[in-house]
Amino acid sequence: MADVSYYRERANHLRHLAEMTWQHDLKALLGRLAQEYDETAEDLEGGASEIRHSELVTEVEDQRHR
């Protein structure tokens, strides 16, 4: 698993790309992705040993509501 600095770097890169785009939907998507990377870094800093990707969490929750 990558260390915290990797996730922070990716988040910063995505925020930089978001600032450069003029497309509102792309800007929002890049912002959400940056936030997910930041949250992953926070989890790792907090001692998490396993990271669950948001797509997997959404899939599991969707299946519970069926």
Side-chain angles (χ1 to χ4, degrees):
M1 178 185 305
D3 64 359
V4 173
S5 63
Y6 168 81
Y7 293 99
R8 294 287 184 203
E9 179 184 318
R10 296 285 83 207
N12 289 332
H13 180 71
L14 288 165
R15 273 192 285 281
H16 178 72
L17 291 175
E19 290 173 5
M20 294 174 36
T21 187
W22 50 269
Q23 297 175 336
H24 298 292
D25 55 341
L26 180 56
K27 185 180 294 257
L29 173 63
L30 292 170
R32 285 193 306 272
L33 291 172
Q35 181 178 353
E36 288 184 22
Y37 274 102
D38 279 332
E39 290 172 359
T40 300
E42 289 172 12
D43 288 346
L44 290 173
E45 288 171 337
S49 60
E50 185 175 311
I51 303 301
R52 180 173 290 221
H53 295 281
S54 62
E55 299 87 24
L56 296 176
V57 172
T58 303
E59 283 181 26
V60 169
E61 291 198 8
D62 286 346
Q63 290 174 358
R64 287 183 187 164
H65 294 288
R66 289 182 186 171

